[in-house]
Amino acid sequence: MKKVIIVGAGISGMAAGIVLQRSGFETEIYEKNPVPGGELTGWKRDGVYIDNCIDYLMCSKKGSDMNGFWHDIGMLKDGLKMYSKDVFFTYKGHGGEITFRRDKERTKSDMLKLSPDDKEAIDKFFENVTRAESMIMPLSKPMDKMGLRDFMKLGDFAKNVPAAQKAYKGVSVKDLSDSFKSPVLKSAVLMTHPEQTQAYSFIMSYAMCTSGSGDIPEGGSLAAATRIADRYKELGGKIHVNAPVKNVKINGKIAEGIVLEDGTEVKADYVICATDANHTFTHLLPSEYMPKKLKKCFDDHEHFSVFSKFHAAFLVDCKTSIPADTSFWESEGIKVWDKVHKDIGMICYDYDPTITPEGKTILQMKLFQYADDVDKWFELAKDREAYEAKKNEIASDMIKLIEKQYPETEGKIHVLDTWTPVSYAKKCNAYRGAYMAFVADKDTKTVTTPGVVKQLKNVFLAGQWLMGSGGLPPATAQGKYAAWRICKKEGVECK
Ligand SMILES: Cc1cc2nc3c(=O)[nH]c(=O)nc-3n(C[C@H](O)[C@H](O)[C@H](O)COP(=O)(O)OP(=O)(O)OC[C@H]3O[C@@H](n4cnc5c(N)ncnc54)[C@H](O)[C@@H]3O)c2cc1C
């Protein structure tokens, strides 16, 4: 039986491990953290659970290959309660309010009522949201191995998705915002994605909701990561936690195995690096082995950027009128570094009673942090006290805004935790603290990089950084693709 070592127990590494175990390989995953899951995670503070991933689960609706794969790996299982995301998000500001609902007709009619002058832009938007509902994640084989026939089998996807992409070619989220006359709609479409992102990304995310997906499994992200790790272990896989890998051991064109940070060497027939791509090619493998396509994304800062967020989680000592969803509102603003964030957003976790203590409310606020902001966080983190003080200051400002918007919370909000881009870099070796992959701007195309290392015959890549802007489905698909490549080499069926 051939042995495969996987570096990183994120969803991508675990998905690769599950497929390989099922296909008859012996696999072991080495993970630096004490808990598997990587960015798919959550933790407790003061006994209260803080979720830190699934805001929307793509392909949560039955019927697609990806949904089938969610069941295969344990992300979902029959009988597991799902919390419905009937509301994508709500925005209140500029004297109005709009809710992007799963119900497209209602949302469209609300938008038209709010701004009849925007009819043309609204019609175009919904026409393309409908097209984008055909979006699927091909799983049968890596996309670079797909031929015309494979693409033909994708049916509506192959017809509708490129049409929607074409309709918004060269249009950023900021341009989409500018295409509306209504100040409410202008602001609303800027809430969920960085401004320079292609407008299509926003359309696709909303289409995920209108197509009936985006629901959240009970227990949130940590429970999902635990189910996936359990599925892998049930199949005979071994996860070594607290086991950071120093590098892949290379001899000519072959990897002999891995070397752990403590100097232990482990031999293998194949190695999959399922880690952040920058970490892979600055620590695990020689930097000159980085695939050209990937290097282009890292080098071309004009067209490919990354982002992170400042987060704060709060416990409120009462039930509130805050909707159990994602909501944004116009406020007097919070100053972080040089920027005042006027429109602020919050998630209220009341929808899942298994994570919300009785009679209380869990809230989370997040603020986008881009290149310069991220640099400042890394600089500040060198002084622990100043770093903590800055986080606490922002969290206090957030509390004031929540209390103003929802007066019933006054004096009842406690900070559970605060975290920054630095936290992601420390925890998952995430490049510049980014927890998603590259944001391609409107003048370029999103890039998918085949997970192969040209110079090495038995090393494959997985992880979200190989596919577009990342996220759970791309990360998971890349894990499957890495397993597929090994099965193909060995001439065995990929199960
Ligand atoms: C706040 C937040 C919200 C999100 N919301 C969503 C959402 O709603 N929907 C969605 O689809 N996606 C969402 N995502 C993104 C999603 O979490 C990621 O795309 C996905 O989890 C990435 O998986 P991965 O396996 O590629 O990488 P990772 O999760 O980063 O896994 C890599 C693993 O490798 C380990 N590692 C790194 N270096 C080493 C080393 N040297 N040795 C051993 N182990 C190592 C890391 O610790 C980590 O466990 C969100 C993420 C965050 C943080």
Side-chain angles (χ1 to χ4, degrees), residues 12 31-33 38-39 53 55-56 245 279 429 464 471-472:
S12 197
E31 165 57 48
K32 74 184 265 292
N33 285 323
E39 309 283 12
C53 182
D55 299 330
Y56 309 95
V245 175
H279 179 73
N429 286 331
Q464 62 170 341
L472 292 166

Side-chain angles (χ1 to χ4, degrees), residues 7-13 30-33 35-40 52-58 243-246 261 274-276 279 284 311 364 366 419 424 427-429 435-436 462-465 470-475:
V7 188
I11 194 166
S12 197
Y30 287 81
E31 165 57 48
K32 74 184 265 292
N33 285 323
V35 179
E39 309 283 12
L40 173 65
N52 197 42
C53 182
I54 310 175
D55 299 330
Y56 309 95
L57 183 66
M58 273 190 161
V245 175
K246 188 166 171 231
E261 284 289 357
T275 40
D276 169 282
H279 179 73
L284 305 181
H311 304 246
Q364 232 186 82
K366 310 178 183 191
W419 60 110
Y424 292 110
K427 183 171 176 284
C428 286
N429 286 331
Y435 59 79
M436 301 277 286
Q464 62 170 341
W465 289 86
L472 292 166

